[in-house]
Amino acid sequence: MHRFPKRLSLQLKLGLLLLFPFVVTSQSTAGAAVASASSTVQDKVSTYTYKLTVKMSNRSAYKSEATFTDKKLLRALQEAAPGSAYTEPLLPDTTLSYAFKAKEQNFSVTPKGEVIDSFTKRLLNVPSDVQEQLAAQVTALRTQHYGELLPWEQAKDVLPKYSKFTIVDVDSGLSFEGQRRAGSSHADVQPLTKNDSATLKTIYGGEWSWDRRAVLVKLNGRTLAGSMHGMPHGGDGIPGNDFNGHFCIHFLGSVTHGSRSLDPSHQLMVQRAAGLLNEYVSKLSPWALIDVWIIGANQGDPQLLQVATGQEQAVHMRSMRRLSKFAERDTSKLLQLTTVVDVSATPEGSNTTRTRRIRFQLERDSLDARWYIRSADVQ
């Protein structure tokens, strides 16, 4: 059996323990409406303009924004007493910001309208009517930002063969035009032009890649949540588009051509493109949660690692794949679980894929609570 060098094993274990402070910030500056609420505005002014910003993660460039006015919100926020701790692994994807006395104020807001201090990660006790109004605003903006979670059996009719559509990468915000050329179990797609192929390659950092990415597919007024990879393969092609083959886009419930089975990484990204990552992962079995961790480690995705473990981690192992089948057993009465999984991965500085065994320890607080991966020891 091939073994990783001791240096690599140490790097992996250190990577699993490496934590970074998590701060939610808005990358955009306040617009003219928000800027008008400056130091010249006195406390007695009853109406302020607020901005909501939705982004998949605090690192994403793609975002949606909306402004609104409210007479009660400022006082509600100023008088709100700190409440209970916000225990979800990820802060909400929506930020509320406004200018007060020349300083920008920022809070996180859940789809239920709950307001969270992004630094202390504690809920603020705001009146129910204020929370209801915020919930309506957040829901409307998130619906605009994310895609519709549509099963493949319906999506394939929305995107018939040879239809042309716009594909938006939910992280970078880059978009290009594509055409469905074939595919009965998912969409086999081609970039339309050389420029479209170049944009797809840019999304993947200048190299073709099998990594899965959350995408929006826009056609005839509808926006569908999907997942793509960026590797040309197979037959078919549009002449002169600099793309030799096709790439795949999966939707809810779509399967691979060969195995006719769900691809966990594609399904995870479909949920992400619909804005449902946290909700989806919170309902997964321990075995499916381990797959989320492996996908995150393979793609070096800190958000996936955090939603699986509840902590920020830095782990990136190229070509990491699960080799062994899970010996799944009934965990309905368990609060803790330890299991060993065989994986393949490419060590740093090597082009050779090797096998390794990872010992996962998982736990949950109660029988109706979600699971977390508490440790992943590479042996």
Side-chain angles (χ1 to χ4, degrees):
M1 177 183 295
H2 296 290
R3 296 185 179 274
F4 282 93
K6 292 182 179 179
R7 173 177 172 271
L8 174 63
S9 179
L10 178 60
Q11 287 175 336
L12 279 173
K13 292 182 180 179
L14 288 175
L16 297 174
L17 297 175
L18 185 58
L19 306 181
F20 296 94
F22 182 76
V23 179
V24 170
T25 59
S26 175
Q27 295 179 352
S28 63
T29 56
V34 176
S36 65
S38 65
S39 58
T40 61
V41 180
Q42 304 299 315
D43 292 351
K44 62 183 180 181
V45 175
S46 59
T47 302
Y48 269 72
T49 300
Y50 303 88
K51 180 172 67 176
L52 288 174
T53 303
V54 178
K55 299 195 298 181
M56 185 182 76
S57 76
N58 65 316
R59 305 182 186 200
S60 299
Y62 181 64
K63 60 187 176 183
S64 297
E65 296 178 335
T67 59
F68 67 98
T69 59
D70 189 279
K71 295 182 178 181
K72 297 181 180 180
L73 184 55
L74 178 63
R75 175 169 291 183
L77 293 174
Q78 290 180 327
E79 297 179 352
S84 58
Y86 185 74
T87 58
E88 294 294 335
L90 302 176
L91 280 172
D93 56 12
T94 305
T95 302
L96 170 71
S97 61
Y98 64 98
F100 180 70
K101 293 184 177 180
K103 291 185 178 181
E104 185 171 282
Q105 311 293 320
N106 292 282
F107 298 92
S108 297
V109 189
T110 72
K112 296 179 180 179
E114 301 162 306
V115 181
I116 303 159
D117 185 313
S118 303
F119 298 98
T120 65
K121 296 186 180 180
R122 300 195 74 85
L123 293 161
L124 300 182
N125 293 319
V126 299
S128 59
D129 59 333
V130 172
Q131 183 174 326
E132 289 175 4
Q133 181 179 357
L134 280 174
Q137 299 280 356
V138 171
T139 298
L141 188 58
R142 294 182 82 253
T143 300
Q144 171 187 322
H145 184 77
Y146 292 112
E148 179 184 352
L149 196 62
L150 193 67
W152 168 243
E153 290 303 314
Q154 300 175 44
K156 67 181 181 180
D157 295 329
V158 176
L159 308 170
K161 191 175 179 181
Y162 300 121
S163 61
K164 299 175 182 179
F165 39 79
T166 301
I167 302 158
V168 181
D169 178 59
V170 185
D171 189 26
S172 68
L174 295 176
S175 64
F176 62 97
E177 302 301 308
Q179 182 183 49
R180 181 185 170 196
R181 304 285 294 180
S184 59
S185 302
H186 56 258
D188 291 343
V189 180
Q190 273 273 309
L192 283 184
T193 67
K194 289 182 178 180
N195 288 338
D196 293 314
S197 296
T199 299
L200 174 57
K201 199 170 189 178
T202 299
I203 289 172
Y204 282 96
E207 296 182 359
W208 302 125
S209 172
W210 289 107
D211 283 0
R212 280 47 164 154
R213 295 183 70 96
V215 295
L216 307 176
V217 179
K218 296 176 175 285
L219 175 66
N220 295 331
R222 297 187 74 169
T223 301
L224 307 186
S227 170
M228 73 173 183
H229 65 68
M231 180 62 71
H233 69 288
D236 197 29
I238 297 175
N241 71 345
D242 283 353
F243 198 86
N244 185 22
H246 66 268
F247 68 99
C248 301
I249 299 182
H250 281 244
F251 298 87
L252 181 66
S254 60
V255 298
T256 60
H257 289 313
S259 65
R260 297 288 176 174
S261 60
L262 291 172
D263 182 300
S265 54
H266 273 309
Q267 294 304 306
L268 182 65
M269 292 299 168
V270 171
Q271 296 287 337
R272 197 182 213 176
L276 299 172
L277 176 64
N278 195 66
E279 293 85 344
Y280 177 71
V281 174
S282 69
K283 299 175 183 178
L284 294 179
S285 69
W287 324 105
L289 190 62
I290 290 172
D291 273 337
V292 173
W293 188 94
I294 292 173
I295 295 165
N298 172 53
Q299 299 193 180
D301 191 319
Q303 190 182 51
L304 295 185
L305 294 170
Q306 185 177 352
V307 77
T309 65
Q311 297 179 324
E312 289 202 11
Q313 298 183 338
V315 184
H316 191 188
M317 285 295 297
R318 295 181 297 119
S319 306
M320 180 175 281
R321 298 287 186 272
R322 173 167 55 87
L323 297 177
S324 56
K325 292 184 178 180
F326 287 128
E328 296 191 25
R329 63 179 190 271
D330 183 14
T331 60
S332 60
K333 304 299 181 182
L334 298 179
L335 296 178
Q336 295 181 331
L337 174 68
T338 299
T339 188
V340 174
V341 179
D342 292 328
V343 301
S344 63
T346 304
E348 183 180 359
S350 173
N351 292 321
T352 303
T353 299
R354 303 181 184 180
T355 60
R356 201 68 176 174
R357 178 162 288 185
I358 305 178
R359 185 174 183 266
F360 289 95
Q361 291 184 325
L362 302 92
E363 67 178 24
R364 55 180 172 174
D365 293 333
S366 64
L367 294 181
D368 58 353
R370 60 152 294 174
W371 287 95
Y372 285 97
I373 296 172
R374 294 311 186 193
S375 68
D377 183 25
V378 181
Q379 299 174 344

